[in-house]
Amino acid sequence: MKKALVFGLVLIMAFATIAFAATTFVTIGSGGVGGTYYPLGGVMAELLTNGGVNIRANSRSTSASRENCRLVAQDQAQIGMTMGSTLWQAYNGIDAFKDDGKLDVLTLMHMYAAPQHIVTTTRTGIKTFDDMKGKKVSVGAPGGGDQVLTNMILAAAGWTEKDFQKQQLTQPEAVTALKDGNLDVAFFNFAIPGSAVMEIAAVRDVVLIPIPDEVIKKVVAENPFMMPFTIPAGTYDKQTADCKVVADGNFLVVNSKMSDQVAYDCVKIFIEKRGDIEKTTPHAAQFVPDKAGTGIIPFHPGAAKYFAEQGVKVDTKK
């Protein structure tokens, strides 16, 4: 009897150990409180935990892109959120990651694009890119992502600071200046629809300036993490035409140690449960296979398997 009881307890413990071992623990590196990444991380962790795929997930607030790439490469976080420009640097071990060397990061999926907006109002009479010459133009705050991307665009167009009156305003400052008529044009970078543009549109008729096709091609060719993007007509009040620009992407990344099955389950849940994620952020409307399969570095094989099932081919070659 005693032997049977001991044997039974051993079996229970063995099954419990197997069940525990079958559960994968995932930490999602998100961003700071108040940003888009932070609430996204929370809802994604909840969906994974309740997804019936033996994953228990939590979200960790971080300083976002750079930290997340490093955390994922070190397996201190299993999924990280990052801007494409930062991801490109991390994968290639350049710029901000020169001292790190190439990091072990792979794409899980593309979340949403953050297009560069070139915004003016009808007051200025500016309608085209070349119309900005000689005008007061805010390129973004010094050292900010807006300004980095703006400089790429202006350089591709062959412009120098002699071609316009350079202003270096933060987003709130540029919004106020455009509303008050103290600024002609502002470059902004954010996902659509951007609250800054809507704030201006509440008191002024906004005009979005398209980037010439040849400039778009040059920006993308010189900066592989950038992508062509069209801000659809109707995104903003009185916007009657599509506006061609360039965009930086926002990605979920993992490392090569993640199992194919876990990567497959994660991307499947995030895409097929996008309706739940949209309750937290409208950007999740872009969580569809053809857009989520946009990449600038190789995808994890497990993610690639899911995209293949949806008819989307992604690159897995390093």
Side-chain angles (χ1 to χ4, degrees):
M1 181 72 178
K2 217 180 244 189
K3 286 183 180 180
L5 180 61
V6 171
F7 181 70
L9 288 172
V10 168
L11 280 177
I12 291 171
M13 291 175 66
F15 283 126
T17 300
I18 291 170
F20 181 81
T23 299
T24 299
F25 294 88
V26 170
T27 294
I28 301 172
S30 59
V33 178
T36 301
Y37 285 1
Y38 181 80
L40 257 179
V43 69
M44 285 178 168
E46 184 178 349
L47 288 172
L48 289 180
T49 299
N50 298 322
V53 289
N54 292 323
I55 294 176
R56 291 189 64 182
N58 67 84
S59 179
R60 171 178 173 180
S61 177
T62 70
S63 57
S65 298
R66 290 184 185 180
E67 183 180 1
N68 288 341
C69 285
R70 291 188 173 107
L71 288 172
V72 166
Q74 297 162 4
D75 209 27
Q76 295 180 28
Q78 287 65 54
I79 299 175
M81 300 182 184
T82 177
M83 290 180 66
S85 49
T86 302
L87 175 58
W88 180 258
Q89 293 173 17
Y91 180 75
N92 289 287
I94 59 175
D95 298 333
F97 299 89
K98 186 176 180 180
D99 293 336
D100 301 79
K102 296 181 179 181
L103 297 188
D104 179 13
V105 287
L106 295 170
T107 302
L108 184 68
M109 62 175 276
H110 176 240
M111 295 192 292
Y112 56 89
Q116 192 78 343
H117 293 61
I118 308 177
V119 183
T120 187
T121 65
T122 53
R123 175 196 66 82
T124 68
I126 298 171
K127 296 180 180 178
T128 70
F129 196 88
D130 285 339
D131 289 344
M132 294 190 295
K133 286 192 173 179
K135 305 296 185 179
K136 290 182 287 186
V137 179
S138 174
V139 298
D146 287 4
Q147 186 166 143
V148 172
L149 299 179
T150 299
N151 289 341
M152 290 177 186
I153 294 166
L154 295 177
W159 284 32
T160 70
E161 292 184 12
K162 294 180 181 179
D163 291 308
F164 62 100
Q165 299 177 51
K166 181 180 177 180
Q167 308 286 312
Q168 300 186 85
L169 305 181
T170 64
Q171 286 188 9
E173 290 170 344
V175 167
T176 299
L178 278 172
K179 290 194 296 185
D180 294 344
N182 297 321
L183 181 71
D184 296 313
V185 180
F187 282 75
F188 297 114
N189 183 259
F190 35 57
I192 57 173
S195 59
V197 179
M198 292 190 287
E199 183 179 343
I200 299 165
V203 295
R204 294 283 183 266
D205 288 338
V206 164
V207 176
L208 296 184
I209 302 170
I211 300 175
D213 288 343
E214 62 273 17
V215 176
I216 291 175
K217 289 178 182 177
K218 192 171 182 181
V219 170
V220 173
E222 294 177 349
N223 306 281
F225 51 85
M226 298 296 288
M227 59 186 77
F229 189 90
T230 298
I231 302 175
T235 299
Y236 299 105
D237 188 35
K238 297 183 181 180
Q239 181 197 347
T240 58
D242 291 346
C243 183
K244 292 183 178 181
V245 292
V246 291
D248 195 354
N250 288 271
F251 294 85
L252 291 180
V253 294
V254 297
N255 67 33
S256 61
K257 300 179 187 71
M258 177 175 278
S259 75
D260 288 1
Q261 187 61 52
V262 170
Y264 176 93
D265 289 338
C266 287
V267 70
K268 177 180 173 70
I269 286 173
F270 295 152
I271 290 178
E272 297 184 3
K273 294 289 185 180
R274 63 181 174 274
D276 293 324
I277 303 175
E278 279 188 78
K279 296 173 185 176
T280 299
T281 173
H283 304 329
Q286 297 184 44
F287 286 24
V288 292
D290 60 334
K291 292 183 179 179
T294 301
I296 58 173
I297 70 165
F299 279 74
H300 189 287
K305 178 184 176 183
Y306 175 79
F307 284 114
E309 291 176 354
Q310 308 307 310
V312 177
K313 184 178 181 180
V314 300
D315 184 16
T316 57
K317 295 180 181 178
K318 295 185 180 181

